[in-house]
Amino acid sequence: SDGACATSPHYPNNYGPNEACTISNVPRMPLVVMAFDVQDHFDYDDSYDPSWTPWVRTGASRCDAYDYLMVGGTRYCGANGPDGAVPPDGVITWHSSTHGSTFG
């Protein structure tokens, strides 16, 4: 490992809604995650009306409705990062939803 580190756009400031990035040429080795916190809820709507959350209505996961990081076809969100995941294609993608923004 070369000690390379990836952060979201604008870190340590908030990233914006509907942003995305792709990291290519990632070594096909288990990832080591030091910290991971990707928005998996929208505070205003969740506190106002919990039934609003799309994954409750559709049976989808939070990672389908909000921000996520994808490694090898698996989406990671919230505090559940890809520690130990191996990017089989050497690619990691990240996408923020249209709901709010946070730092990461």
Side-chain angles (χ1 to χ4, degrees), residues 49-90:
D49 181 5
S51 67
W52 176 86
T53 53
W55 63 89
V56 171
R57 293 183 309 199
T58 66
S61 79
R62 290 177 181 225
C63 296
D64 292 329
Y66 293 103
D67 307 348
Y68 63 86
L69 182 94
M70 187 178 302
V71 179
T74 300
R75 291 183 182 199
Y76 298 89
C77 65
N80 299 316
D83 195 51
V86 176
D89 56 0

Side-chain angles (χ1 to χ4, degrees), residues 4-92:
C5 183
T7 61
S8 62
H10 320 296
Y11 182 82
N13 298 315
N14 285 6
Y15 57 78
N18 207 30
E19 292 188 343
C21 70
T22 299
I23 304 169
S24 301
N25 299 315
V26 178
R28 287 153 184 85
M29 299 171 54
L31 298 174
V32 176
V33 177
M34 303 302 290
F36 189 85
D37 187 9
V38 177
Q39 184 184 30
D40 65 349
H41 65 283
F42 187 51
D43 294 327
Y44 176 77
D45 285 303
D46 286 350
S47 62
Y48 178 70
D49 181 5
S51 67
W52 176 86
T53 53
W55 63 89
V56 171
R57 293 183 309 199
T58 66
S61 79
R62 290 177 181 225
C63 296
D64 292 329
Y66 293 103
D67 307 348
Y68 63 86
L69 182 94
M70 187 178 302
V71 179
T74 300
R75 291 183 182 199
Y76 298 89
C77 65
N80 299 316
D83 195 51
V86 176
D89 56 0
V91 174
I92 296 174

Side-chain angles (χ1 to χ4, degrees), residues 84-99:
V86 176
D89 56 0
V91 174
I92 296 174
T93 58
W94 172 83
H95 185 270
S96 65
S97 70
T98 58
H99 303 290

